[in-house]
Amino acid sequence: MIIKSISGTIGSISSEFTAAFIFQDEKLFKRSSSLLSKIFGQSIESAFNSKDFFAKEGETLLVYSTNKKTSRLFIVGLGESKKITIEKIRRAGATAAKKAKALKVSSAAFDISEIELAKTFSEEEIALAISEASLLSLYKYDKYISKEKNGKQLIAITLCSTSTKTKEIQNGIHTGQIIAEATIHARNLTNAPGSEIYPETLAKETIQLGKSAGFSVTVFDRKKINKLKMGGVIGVSKGSEKEPRFITLEYGKQYKKNGTIVLVGKGVTFDTGGISIKPSAGMAEMKMDMGGAAAVIGTFDAVSRLKIKRHIIGLIPSVENMPSGSAVKPGDIIRHYNGKTSEVDNTDAEGRLILADALSYAETFKPEVVIDLATLTGACVVALGHYASGMMGNDQEVMNALSTSGDKTYDRVWQLPLYDEYEKLIKSDVADVKNVGGRWAGAITAGWFLKKFIGDYKWVHLDIAGTVILEENQDYTPRGGSGAGVRLLVDFLKNWK
Ligand code: BES
Ligand code: MN
Ligand code: ZN
């Protein structure tokens, strides 16, 4: 898919499909409707005269016109201009892109001039939002689906505007495209089956992406992981025929003096639960238990292609959690990278066991901030559903910044408390800590477990169990892997002081 821009008035650009985004306010609506009627002719004028369409938020109208350059006009309502948000613009863009796809046109023109009228967002912001959302909304994981022969596809979207700020619009398209592609990388990794993506292949994919995007990748194999005494990674991987990997990503070494940020991603390429095996219904979903790793990899893709000026390290402990004669068992005790021990009460609470090693290993980079992303608990999905990731940590300033980035990108987070009282729920009689905390506050006790392994740095834990895997389509995110975390982190990394 190509996205380009052109300056000109609506209808002057030849394409099979033209989308107009218009406001509901009386004055603006009148202005837009008479302009569109003048350019596209009688059928459009009659459609407006019918008083069936008011340009309310999300309302759409498809009209066939006599305009020789573009026969299909698709109008998307933006609601009131005063209440416009960047998310509403994204949704409107996605609505238009999905309609163009459904109509099987190969070229579409999106006129953004009317959105610019509200003067709430710059040309660059609007172009970024529309192109990002268009690309994201057209995504489908179809790698394993036999292709229809000669099926017509949407191959180009042209953003047209009467604004003179063509450079800004082009910048917006460029950034939007990179961010969408990075998110799609994360979605693809998340949606890939466990037979394709296991620790070794996840590492290979990361190396390959690093080469094309411009970040470096180091991979530790089982021997090296053993040598480093990462007991959690070793323990969880024991039941699987697939060897574990510990993947380190690095970008922007030259910016080290401004502080290092470490991103840790849970990379369980399939989670059966191990000996504490999960019920079979819905287990297939656990191919997505490396969504945290995917978010980190996607973020590195975007950050290096956008050339963000920051030193970033990525750490991905990757294992397959399987039951077998050699698997870790309930009651076993693990010694982690930093020497602390944990009692394995439930082998299905495996994510925290491998993250414990990664979080203590993170200390070796002397980071200012460490953010971990993990599909850690079903309890977090019960608490927040699919609309926000759970957030916990030890530094309110970093959490506030993530909150702001979340609201802006709509890759949202919601803070849960890490009160001291919760700590006793994971006390063990035989080890420093136990890997499960009982029935209540499962997302928080998991967070507390991680907290036991952090070093001397600002730390935030994001439980993305509900946001990385969607059961239903959202505006520009089809069901399945969402790529959650990528857009959030890119915005955070751009703006963190
Ligand atoms: N990967 C799962 C968490 C999960 C559940 C992610 C549902 C996405 C959707 C994690 O490893 C797990 O199994 N957690 C257990 C922890 C429990 C044994 C304390 C859970 O949430 O049930
Ligand atoms: Mn599990
Ligand atoms: Zn898991």
Side-chain angles (χ1 to χ4, degrees), residues 266 271 278 285-286 289 346 348-352 375-379 381 436 465 469:
K266 171 177 170 181
D271 181 14
K278 288 179 183 294
E285 199 177 79
M286 286 302 128
D289 212 16
N346 186 321
D348 198 10
E350 83 297 341
R352 63 198 77 181
T375 45
L376 207 60
T377 66
V381 192
V436 289
I469 315 157

Side-chain angles (χ1 to χ4, degrees), residues 28-87:
L28 291 174
F29 184 79
K30 254 195 192 144
R31 214 200 74 110
S32 320
S33 54
S34 70
L35 176 76
L36 291 172
S37 302
K38 204 157 72 198
I39 295 173
F40 292 94
Q42 183 66 54
S43 54
I44 313 289
E45 193 172 357
S46 323
F48 279 119
N49 286 340
S50 71
K51 298 256 187 301
D52 289 345
F53 177 79
F54 303 97
K56 285 185 204 152
E57 185 190 330
E59 209 183 351
T60 62
L61 178 68
L62 175 68
V63 198
Y64 292 84
S65 86
T66 50
N67 184 307
K68 295 230 162 50
K69 289 202 163 144
T70 174
S71 60
R72 299 174 187 86
L73 175 65
F74 186 61
I75 309 172
V76 184
L78 293 170
E80 289 173 43
S81 64
K82 261 195 224 134
K83 293 188 184 158
I84 191 69
T85 63
I86 204 74
E87 176 64 8

